[in-house]
Amino acid sequence: MKQVGKIKEITRYPVKSFAGEYLESCKIDTYGIVGDRFYSFYDETKNDWNRFVTARTIPAMLSYKANFIDNDVRITSPDGRTFSWNEELLQEIQRYSSKVITMSEHKSPHPDNPNLLSVDAASILLITDSTLHKLETMWGKKLDSRRFRANLLVCLDDSAMSESDWIGKRIFVGTTELMVDCFCERCSMTTIDPDTLERDASLLKKINKEMDLHFGVYASVIKTGEITVQDKVYIE
């Protein structure tokens, strides 16, 4: 195995499209980080991936912060109010949309069920500081890593390296083993500033032109365990 870097940030997103929480360590189950995207909102009139209601259509969702505590979720609104996963929260989010929104909770004893979580293409999303800095240079503006909603931000030992070299290979971090499956193809979520909620479509255009819409990689879990900030990352 070869050491390629170390974990700089761990982020969990208990509610799909809500702001997440930084962690010093996390437990990895077969489906990904425990507590990650356990909850989501969706449009029950649809039966495909587009059923999920996200910040692409309601940017204000990014201003609600979710914390997963004691196997439950706590929501803090932009004005400091707190919510549980209940009808009161549903009414709070419903006011942003003319469509009828439904809540869904994905905690299940069968993590191999493909309908378990509201993840995108695979269990865990990784990005690197090197690729983030390259995109900053291309775009000409400072970038907040939160735009990309990664679970793991890896600080690379060699800035010339790219996570694209990891696809199809196993990586080892903490007591876990992951398989890097594919690129993450980016959407309009990246155009939304996580603090101001302002959109800047030029970023997605730059990612499309310079990176073929690829930024970060998805990985599935081979071996469960724990990951901690500063853990070294190895590749087979």
Side-chain angles (χ1 to χ4, degrees):
M1 294 189 295
K2 175 184 177 183
Q3 181 180 330
V4 294
K6 61 184 178 181
I7 299 297
K8 184 176 182 179
E9 291 178 0
I10 301 172
T11 310
R12 176 168 61 193
Y13 301 93
V15 179
K16 189 174 179 68
S17 268
F18 278 15
E21 55 183 340
Y22 290 116
L23 304 174
E24 285 299 315
S25 63
C26 65
K27 292 183 178 180
I28 304 294
D29 209 328
T30 52
Y31 50 77
I33 295 178
V34 173
D36 189 52
R37 285 164 289 190
F38 269 15
Y39 308 85
S40 64
F41 296 92
Y42 67 98
D43 179 352
E44 62 183 4
T45 65
K46 299 179 179 179
N47 58 9
D48 59 8
W49 184 251
N50 290 322
R51 71 185 185 278
F52 290 113
V53 176
T54 72
R56 283 177 291 188
T57 55
I58 306 179
M61 292 176 73
L62 291 174
S63 63
Y64 289 79
K65 184 175 181 180
N67 295 91
F68 188 69
I69 305 170
D70 296 330
N71 206 38
D72 205 351
V73 67
R74 178 180 177 180
I75 312 299
T76 304
S77 70
D79 59 6
R81 290 172 293 145
T82 57
F83 297 86
S84 298
W85 191 252
N86 55 23
E87 185 69 23
E88 184 182 10
L89 176 64
L90 178 59
Q91 293 176 1
E92 173 74 11
I93 302 303
Q94 181 64 72
R95 66 191 181 92
Y96 292 105
S97 177
S98 60
K99 297 180 179 180
V100 177
I101 298 175
T102 303
M103 306 174 83
S104 182
E105 185 174 334
H106 305 274
K107 290 186 289 186
S108 166
H110 304 291
D112 292 330
N113 184 333
N115 297 318
L116 171 65
L117 303 177
S118 48
V119 298
D120 294 334
S123 301
I124 296 175
L125 177 57
L126 301 91
I127 64 173
T128 66
D129 62 340
S130 175
T131 304
L132 185 66
H133 295 329
K134 287 177 182 177
L135 182 56
E136 278 185 334
T137 301
M138 293 175 185
W139 194 39
K141 300 178 185 179
K142 186 70 176 176
L143 275 173
D144 191 316
S145 62
R146 291 179 295 164
R147 285 181 182 261
F148 304 98
R149 299 184 69 80
N151 296 120
L152 303 176
L153 173 59
V154 180
C155 179
L156 293 180
D157 293 338
D158 181 358
S159 61
M161 184 180 293
S162 169
E163 60 266 33
S164 62
D165 299 325
W166 302 352
I167 294 178
K169 298 179 180 179
R170 292 180 297 168
I171 62 173
F172 305 82
V173 53
T175 58
T176 71
E177 181 179 340
L178 310 176
M179 171 62 74
V180 181
D181 299 313
C182 60
F183 282 114
C184 175
E185 188 168 298
R186 291 300 172 170
C187 67
S188 60
M189 284 281 288
T190 61
T191 68
I192 307 172
D193 185 293
D195 291 321
T196 67
L197 306 184
E198 295 178 356
R199 291 183 184 268
D200 189 337
S202 67
L203 177 58
L204 188 60
K205 291 178 180 178
K206 182 62 67 174
I207 298 172
N208 183 29
K209 180 180 179 180
E210 304 292 344
M211 298 176 157
D212 198 25
L213 284 180
H214 295 158
F215 190 95
V217 291
Y218 281 116
S220 52
V221 180
I222 296 177
K223 179 184 176 183
T224 62
E226 294 189 17
I227 296 176
T228 300
V229 171
Q230 298 298 320
D231 274 349
K232 296 177 180 178
V233 180
Y234 299 89
I235 191 167
E236 65 176 351

